[in-house]
Amino acid sequence: ITDGALVDFLGSAPEISTITMRDTRYTPVFAARLKQLDVATFVHTVNDPVAIKHFLDAGVGVYTDFYGQSK
């Protein structure tokens, strides 16, 4: 599904308040469109502390395997 098709779908489904996506799919433009719909965005699986900070600073939730743990 394209970003545009997903945004259109979410616009017609206000009961969906959150989505998750692979971190490689995330773009600031896509996230901004979701935010306009009041849809929270989470990315997975991010294990790099710098990338985690980047996403959190952008208001994006993060799923991680190792953050704060010894590998």
Side-chain angles (χ1 to χ4, degrees), residues 10 13-20 34 37-42:
L10 291 169
E15 67 276 10
I16 300 175
S17 62
T18 307
I19 67 163
T20 49
L34 295 170
L37 295 173
D38 202 26
V39 174
T41 303
F42 284 76

Side-chain angles (χ1 to χ4, degrees), residues 7-59:
V7 168
D8 290 344
F9 170 75
L10 291 169
S12 68
E15 67 276 10
I16 300 175
S17 62
T18 307
I19 67 163
T20 49
M21 67 182 83
R22 299 238 1 125
D23 62 325
T24 54
R25 181 167 187 178
Y26 170 88
T27 67
V29 172
F30 186 31
R33 292 178 74 191
L34 295 170
K35 187 173 184 171
Q36 288 176 335
L37 295 173
D38 202 26
V39 174
T41 303
F42 284 76
V43 293
H44 62 87
T45 303
V46 185
N47 294 321
D48 174 34
V50 173
I52 290 169
K53 182 174 181 347
H54 167 77
F55 284 118
L56 293 177
D57 288 348

